[in-house]
Amino acid sequence: MTEGTNNKILITGGAGFIGSNLCEYFLSKGHEVTCLDNFATGHKHNLANCIDNPKFTLIEGDIRNAADCEKAVKDKDFVFHQAALGSVPRSINDPVTTNDVNVSGFLNMLVASRDAKVKRFIYAASSSTYGDSEGLPKVEAVIGKPLSPYAITKYVNELYAEIFSKTYGIETIGLRYFNVFGRKQDPNGAYAAVIPKFVMQLMQLESPKINGDGNYSRDFTYIDNVIQMNELAMNTTNSAAVNTVYNTAFGDRNTLNDLMRYLKEFLSKYNPEIANVVPEYGPNRAGDIPHSLASINKAKELLGYDPQFSLQDGLQEAVAWYWDNLK
Ligand SMILES: NC(=O)c1ccc[n+]([C@@H]2O[C@H](COP(=O)([O-])OP(=O)(O)OC[C@H]3O[C@@H](n4cnc5c(N)ncnc54)[C@H](O)[C@@H]3O)[C@@H](O)[C@H]2O)c1
């Protein structure tokens, strides 16, 4: 494995949760990092540790604009395409904008990356692509029908990436992220993810709202495992490992009730009153599948993936970060 430390890297969506963590990590490894973001859901404060680094460039622009994509990708070795509108409910409320950003924007980035002859295009795919398939654990080759407009967009990304690899020879790797959490994930807004939302509510001694009876389960994946996968996807020299997709997960599942129990336990070290907060239960949400669990064997075998953070390990770090940064 060759592990260059001065690659020229573009991270789209680099002001968001996952993208800003990637920006910070790759800068810490000595790479040159450019971030392209329109701040639709990302924040400048996520880039506070990057902005003064001479190896960092911020381009405020939109992936729906081909000229912005061309400018950002010029002279880059690797693209980490994270920009998208996340959230299943957002896509149900506004499928057109979700499609514009997630499909047309993705295609713009693929075309620009092909034309700039980047070495590899690594992109954020999603566990939502498993749709209504019921088997567990999820293996990459077996998917079901999408359950939301968001899931359609993420599946279409995979189809385009495969066709671009075959037709134009651009190397691509898709990382199907499973419920990622950790520092800098936004707790605010109507479409906030469950872990930061619960953390904020517990910190404010409010009752978190659980959709359903709390027995739905997820393969919650700490951000540092996701960073490891992205780095492995960049560094691999195994030709059998490219032009494909990988589950990016820890490979274990926990219910929402488990999650709530851990959060209360870890947060009550900071404020003992949090141990007394009781969650409220409501109806299940449209587009949610009951259980999700990844097989991570493909990533282990082909990329040498070895995730270091279980849900509990990651939650302890995430909770400490939220307490220090948002209290
Ligand atoms: N967080 C998860 O659990 C998870 C799971 C599966 C897939 N993903 C995917 O991972 C990627 C990153 O997700 P995240 O959780 O960091 O979300 P995020 O909302 O924090 O980050 C997305 C970033 O993309 C930017 N963006 C949105 N539209 C843009 C546009 N038109 N032009 C330029 N930038 C734009 C946003 O401003 C934001 O900074 C997304 O592609 C998402 O679909 C995330």
Side-chain angles (χ1 to χ4, degrees), residues 279-301:
E280 284 172 16
Y281 292 85
N284 284 321
R285 214 175 51 169
D288 273 351
I289 51 160
H291 302 291
S292 181
L293 168 68
S295 162
I296 54 171
N297 288 340
K298 183 174 172 184
K300 281 183 172 172
E301 282 160 22

Side-chain angles (χ1 to χ4, degrees), residues 208-252:
K209 313 278 178 302
I210 294 181
N211 302 315
D213 64 5
N215 289 318
Y216 276 17
S217 62
R218 295 288 179 267
D219 197 333
F220 294 107
T221 307
Y222 189 53
I223 183 67
D224 286 6
N225 300 330
V226 171
I227 291 172
Q228 184 195 134
M229 273 294 284
N230 276 277
E231 187 174 38
L232 290 167
M234 175 172 76
N235 285 336
T236 187
T237 54
N238 176 0
S239 60
V242 299
N243 304 333
T244 189
V245 296
Y246 294 94
N247 288 342
T248 300
F250 182 65
D252 189 14

Side-chain angles (χ1 to χ4, degrees), residues 122-141:
I122 298 155
Y123 63 96
S126 168
S127 61
S128 64
T129 294
Y130 288 104
D132 67 359
S133 80
E134 287 183 354
L136 293 179
K138 307 293 183 198
V139 289
E140 284 84 346

